[in-house]
Amino acid sequence: MQGLMMDMPLLVSNLLRHAARHFPDVEIVSRRVEGDLHRYSYRDCHDRAARLADAFTKRGVHVGDRIATLAWNGYRHMEIYYAAAGLGGVVHTINPRLHPEQIAWIVNHSNDAYLAFDLTFVPIVEAIAAHCPNVRGWIAMCGRDRMPATTKIPNLLCYEELLAEGAEGYVWPELDERSACGLCYTSGTTGNPKGALYSHRSTVLHAYAAALPDAMGASARDSILPVVPMFHVNAWGLPYTAPLVGAKLVFPGPALDGKSIYELFESEKVTYSAGVPTVWLGLLQHVSANNLRFSTFRRTVIGGSACPPAMIRAFQEQYGVDVIHAWGMTEMSPLGTLSRLQNKHLDLPKEAQQKILEKQGHVIFGVDMKIVDDDGRELAWDGKAYGNLLVRGPWVVKEYFKGEGGDPLVYDAQGRGWFPTGDVATIDADGYMQITDRSKDVIKSGGEWISSIDLENLAIAHPAVAQAAVIGIAHPKWDERPLLVVVKKPGAEVTKDELIRFYEGKIAKWWTPDDVQFVDAIPLGATGKILKTRLRETFKDYRLPTA
Ligand code: AMP
């Protein structure tokens, strides 16, 4: 017997329509490339997105067509998200920090029909346009008065003029909720990038899940500033979650330095934010150097790479900001786990609570996970056994765009597919997961594994250390031994011996790095993660003193 409830598809356009109808005056504030602040409401955003969808449709954009973006977080980017997905197309966000050759490769692989770009990225578009013959139009995200004076971009369109081609009163089509709405390529540290193709259903379910109190915990009382870019897994879903709950949105545009972010936090009464650890370093340094306080900022999600416990403490103890440590990946839309306390943890001593909050956390309903050994046998949830982390759920990829790489899943005895994350983790008895490493970054010493993340987190806690990375260096006896690579804080001094001593009593002795190298900068990838491959390359001729 069938249930007798209305069969309404879960569509991305409904998120914005809901916000426009039920939170019409809630603001979206954006710092523009031009430097000024732009403000309007969900109703305005919805109406402009609908006109843009109509304009694209009139220009022959069909269901399934890709519309790409090279853009910062801002209201026009949000309009493209909804226009492209709402009309039945696919918004394809591209990370502008990738190499232009890689961007051209991605545009061609995706076969983008249009590409919209912020003025910052004119040089990238000039470099790739001639290599992307299938793009029908390159849309400069500005008005006529700001159009770039360039002859190197064929079929150059003006965003505001394009939008004006659309009529008012466009009606969003009722699509199949399983149809595609968003495309995001993985960073592709090995081989070519692969596309994760999100559906309306997966995106809306993820938006619901992200909003839950023990996930991101977003509400209509929040003013949310996603520092995480809209080209990094859809700003972790916040452009979908914010309209779902009716939260105010504050977009920082290109100004991601500590001072600019702090100013927006204060002027827009931001309560809530999200970003990778490296951006918060800049903010914390600015706030501490200028002896500032946050008036309204209370919570932030930190993920994308391991959040150092020292950062969680600094936010909590010095500024009263709760850090929600989160883990996920492009292939998971991206949220998988977040670290919040449960009722039974509330009476624990502060230190024990802190240890829980430092983990990558507990799954949200929808995602299931397990750890397995190299033969696929499931490992115990005891917080000690570590193994390959596998996940499944309605917002986890089952296959990459265009079938790249074949079937990525592994199958259990019941024939259910699990996605291998490439992460190595422990899970404790309460179901809290902790990443020990990317499987290719673990340091194998004497047949045992050393967690580079643990060693980095400890080094970061030293007052003279700004950034730290640990890599395995070949060793004749032990196979590999850890090398600590450090960037010192400006003006700070510390020696190798002091750093090695800093580990004493905090870890098993044999985990202690064999050497420390000081560098001016640690290479970061396009999404702010330490590029261990590049670091290993830099130190490929280096010999450990113990070797
Ligand atoms: P991406 O798809 O580029 O966002 O990368 C996903 C990968 O980032 C994961 O598989 C992890 O290796 C890493 N990652 C994300 N969040 C965390 C976290 N909180 N702690 C440690 N690693 C993380």
Side-chain angles (χ1 to χ4, degrees):
M1 187 162 44
Q2 294 263 301
L4 293 174
M5 295 294 116
M6 290 185 193
D7 197 9
M8 282 169 58
L10 302 174
L11 297 179
V12 163
S13 52
N14 283 338
L15 294 169
L16 192 57
R17 188 163 52 190
H18 166 76
R21 218 170 132 71
H22 301 283
F23 303 100
D25 301 327
V26 173
E27 279 186 309
I28 300 177
V29 180
S30 313
R31 176 148 10 228
R32 304 205 291 184
V33 173
E34 296 90 319
D36 61 343
L37 280 191
H38 171 274
R39 38 194 350 126
Y40 70 177
S41 66
Y42 273 119
R43 185 171 28 207
D44 300 329
C45 179
H46 173 270
D47 292 353
R48 278 173 52 95
R51 287 185 69 167
L52 186 61
D54 189 47
F56 275 130
T57 307
K58 285 181 175 149
R59 280 183 173 257
V61 172
H62 294 297
V63 168
D65 283 352
R66 269 79 68 196
I67 294 169
T69 60
L70 275 170
W72 302 110
N73 293 3
Y75 67 104
R76 290 187 179 116
H77 203 173
M78 176 99 169
E79 289 162 8
I80 299 171
Y81 262 50
Y82 282 92
L87 72 85
V90 174
V91 58
H92 170 206
T93 52
I94 305 178
N95 189 332
R97 296 188 185 122
L98 295 172
H99 193 272
E101 262 174 39
Q102 215 171 10
I103 295 180
W105 186 92
I106 290 175
V107 170
N108 288 329
H109 186 271
S110 156
N111 201 17
D112 296 322
Y114 286 88
L115 186 147
F117 58 97
D118 266 332
L119 296 180
T120 322
F121 306 118
V122 168
I124 300 180
V125 175
E126 286 179 332
I128 65 170
H131 305 286
C132 304
N134 294 340
V135 175
R136 284 184 254 157
W138 303 85
I139 306 161
M141 291 164 67
C142 59
R144 177 48 57 188
D145 55 329
R146 294 272 178 168
M147 282 298 280
T150 172
T151 51
K152 293 191 202 141
I153 306 176
N155 307 322
L156 180 62
L157 300 172
C158 164
Y159 182 88
E160 291 299 334
E161 288 177 358
L162 173 69
L163 194 144
E165 291 171 14
E168 274 174 28
Y170 173 82
V171 179
W172 301 106
E174 285 265 309
L175 306 159
D176 175 352
E177 66 177 22
R178 289 185 165 77
S179 57
C181 69
L183 176 64
C184 196
Y185 281 73
T186 58
S187 25
T189 38
T190 50
N192 278 325
K194 294 200 276 290
L197 188 63
Y198 312 114
S199 67
H200 285 264
R201 177 184 152 82
S202 72
T203 304
V204 173
L205 288 176
H206 180 270
Y208 269 118
L212 288 170
D214 282 337
M216 287 190 162
S219 83
R221 289 167 298 291
D222 278 316
S223 167
I224 303 181
L225 186 151
V227 181
V228 52
M230 289 166 77
F231 54 76
H232 185 193
V233 216
N234 304 322
W236 302 347
L238 286 170
Y240 304 114
T241 300
L244 181 142
V245 298
K248 172 176 172 179
L249 263 174
V250 184
F251 287 130
L256 298 175
D257 60 288
K259 180 169 182 290
S260 309
I261 296 279
Y262 178 79
E263 283 170 7
L264 264 191
F265 272 18
E266 290 300 303
S267 67
E268 299 307 322
K269 299 192 169 45
V270 170
T271 55
Y272 188 75
S273 191
V276 298
T278 38
V279 301
W280 300 122
L281 277 180
L283 179 73
L284 284 176
Q285 270 163 18
H286 174 76
V287 179
S288 132
N290 297 286
N291 216 0
L292 301 169
R293 284 272 162 275
F294 297 109
S295 316
T296 51
F297 182 34
R298 292 292 169 264
R299 281 161 13 258
T300 185
V301 174
I302 302 187
S305 48
C307 179
M311 183 175 280
I312 301 182
R313 276 174 201 273
F315 265 121
Q316 255 158 11
E317 289 166 13
Q318 294 167 34
Y319 302 105
V321 175
D322 284 338
V323 169
I324 304 168
H325 193 190
W327 167 85
M329 53 199 313
T330 308
E331 289 89 335
M332 301 179 69
S333 307
L335 287 181
T337 64
L338 300 103
S339 217
R340 312 298 296 269
L341 296 180
Q342 297 174 12
N343 185 286
K344 67 175 176 186
H345 301 135
L346 297 181
D347 294 332
L348 290 177
K350 187 125 188 24
E351 274 307 303
Q353 291 183 342
Q354 188 72 20
K355 284 276 165 245
I356 297 170
L357 295 173
E358 287 168 8
K359 296 189 176 198
Q360 276 73 7
H362 201 271
V363 290
I364 336 170
F365 171 73
V367 175
D368 195 6
M369 65 180 176
K370 62 178 177 180
I371 43 174
V372 300
D373 65 15
D374 285 341
D375 297 321
R377 274 188 299 261
E378 188 163 356
L379 297 169
W381 289 22
D382 59 7
K384 294 193 187 75
Y386 50 84
N388 304 311
L389 180 65
L390 309 184
V391 291
R392 63 195 311 270
W395 54 83
V396 178
V397 292
K398 63 174 178 196
E399 152 179 6
Y400 288 102
F401 186 39
K402 298 189 174 170
E404 289 297 334
D407 182 359
L409 306 186
V410 292
Y411 294 86
D412 61 20
Q414 286 81 42
R416 294 175 310 185
W418 292 76
F419 180 79
T421 62
D423 287 321
V424 176
T426 61
I427 304 176
D428 68 21
D430 290 339
Y432 286 73
M433 185 275 286
Q434 183 159 30
I435 303 272
T436 56
D437 249 316
R438 275 310 274 169
S439 57
K440 47 188 189 303
D441 294 336
V442 285
I443 300 159
K444 300 182 186 83
S445 177
E448 301 276 353
W449 287 5
I450 296 175
S451 157
S452 64
I453 293 181
D454 279 359
L455 296 181
E456 287 157 8
N457 282 343
L458 287 167
I460 285 278
H462 190 284
V465 174
Q467 271 179 294
V470 175
I471 51 171
I473 299 282
H475 191 282
K477 180 166 175 201
W478 300 111
D479 197 13
E480 279 183 341
R481 289 294 303 154
L483 166 71
L484 170 63
V485 182
V486 163
V487 179
K488 285 185 241 179
K489 281 195 183 144
E493 271 316 319
V494 62
T495 63
K496 166 189 161 180
D497 290 341
E498 281 164 351
L499 284 176
I500 298 281
R501 268 204 308 279
F502 194 63
Y503 282 107
E504 268 174 30
K506 298 184 179 120
I507 42 165
K509 207 166 165 33
W510 64 275
W511 275 41
T512 313
D514 282 23
D515 195 13
V516 182
Q517 292 280 309
F518 295 98
V519 294
D520 293 334
I522 286 176
L524 297 180
T527 50
K529 295 182 216 289
I530 296 172
L531 272 185
K532 296 257 172 114
T533 40
R534 178 92 53 85
L535 211 53
R536 282 193 282 265
E537 183 63 21
T538 308
F539 286 96
K540 73 178 185 314
D541 296 325
Y542 162 88
R543 292 280 163 274
L544 286 165
T546 48

